[in-house]
Amino acid sequence: KLESLDLELNKLGGPIPAWIFNISTIQFLSLSANSFFGSLPPNMCHVLKNLQGLYLAGNYLSGNIPMSISNCSRLTIITLLSNEFTGSIPDSLGNLRQLNVLQLSDNKLTSESSSQELSLFSSLANCMLLRHISLERNPLNGVLPNSLGNLSSSIEIIYAFGSGIMGSIPGSIGNLSNLIALRLDNNQLTGSIPTSVK
């Protein structure tokens, strides 16, 4: 019947025990700021149907973010920052309609799209409750799509600095009427600042 497991800020290590991902009742899982390593199981969300908060920041976790994460349809907060995750950020994150906070900064993640456009922003347009996106210090090495302006009107924070982002800032960013913090510093942006930013 366990619903919340919070073990953050300890000195726990090793792979995350597989049995944790079989607790079907769990709603909040926080293992941040430990020394866990290894990869997340590819089927991690086949059982965790009730998971709302996933906090795994500040460990040594590696490998891909499992595609099955979209099966955790009640997720509101995903915090995977400051790990060693590699591979692409799955566009299937856009299927998490309750998502409120997405923190993936300080990893080695790339865009899933084969084109230069960062398709993640297009997929996240489906997340109507999204307020905070942190993608900074990942080798995204892509272009901001015009669909950036289709993100939720509730979006307040977008951090994507130090991520090898190229091209121009799309004028559609002016559609994000509740945006209070936009950090795109230390990239390779060109062109002019769109007047819609004001």
Side-chain angles (χ1 to χ4, degrees):
K1 297 181 179 180
L2 190 66
E3 294 182 355
S4 180
L5 178 61
D6 187 346
L7 299 173
E8 69 176 38
L9 287 166
N10 279 290
K11 297 179 180 178
L12 299 168
I16 299 175
W19 55 263
I20 286 180
F21 300 103
N22 286 319
I23 304 174
S24 61
T25 52
I26 204 157
Q27 297 177 24
F28 299 95
L29 175 61
S30 180
L31 304 176
S32 295
N34 280 284
S35 296
F36 291 107
F37 58 82
S39 58
L40 298 176
N43 60 348
M44 63 170 283
C45 278
H46 288 179
V47 175
L48 304 180
K49 303 292 187 184
N50 293 303
L51 190 64
Q52 298 176 35
L54 178 64
Y55 306 85
L56 301 178
N59 284 287
Y60 300 96
L61 298 169
S62 58
N64 296 333
I65 297 174
M67 293 290 291
S68 71
I69 199 166
S70 62
N71 292 331
C72 290
S73 59
R74 297 187 182 183
L75 270 172
T76 61
I77 299 176
I78 300 175
T79 301
L80 303 180
L81 58 94
S82 298
N83 277 287
E84 297 176 3
F85 287 110
T86 56
S88 58
I89 302 172
D91 287 346
S92 59
L93 288 171
N95 295 330
L96 299 173
R97 302 303 172 90
Q98 304 299 315
L99 193 61
N100 196 257
V101 175
L102 177 63
Q103 296 181 316
L104 302 178
S105 53
D106 292 291
N107 281 286
K108 301 172 184 176
L109 295 163
T110 60
S111 174
E112 187 169 82
S113 175
S114 57
S115 71
Q116 278 197 315
E117 283 201 347
L118 298 173
S119 57
L120 174 66
F121 288 107
S122 299
S123 64
L124 290 177
N126 296 319
C127 304
M128 301 307 295
L129 302 177
L130 194 60
R131 289 189 308 106
H132 184 143
I133 304 172
S134 292
L135 303 174
E136 68 268 21
R137 291 187 291 263
N138 280 292
L140 299 178
N141 300 329
V143 176
L144 294 172
N146 197 53
S147 57
L148 180 68
N150 295 334
L151 289 173
S152 166
S153 59
S154 61
I155 196 79
E156 296 176 352
I157 295 172
I158 299 175
Y159 290 163
F161 56 89
S163 299
I165 296 176
M166 303 168 284
S168 60
I169 301 171
S172 64
I173 200 165
N175 297 341
L176 307 179
S177 55
N178 286 308
L179 192 65
I180 58 175
L182 174 65
R183 288 202 58 183
L184 298 175
D185 46 298
N186 195 23
N187 280 298
Q188 300 170 38
L189 294 168
T190 56
S192 58
I193 302 173
T195 55
S196 60
V197 169
K198 65 182 181 180

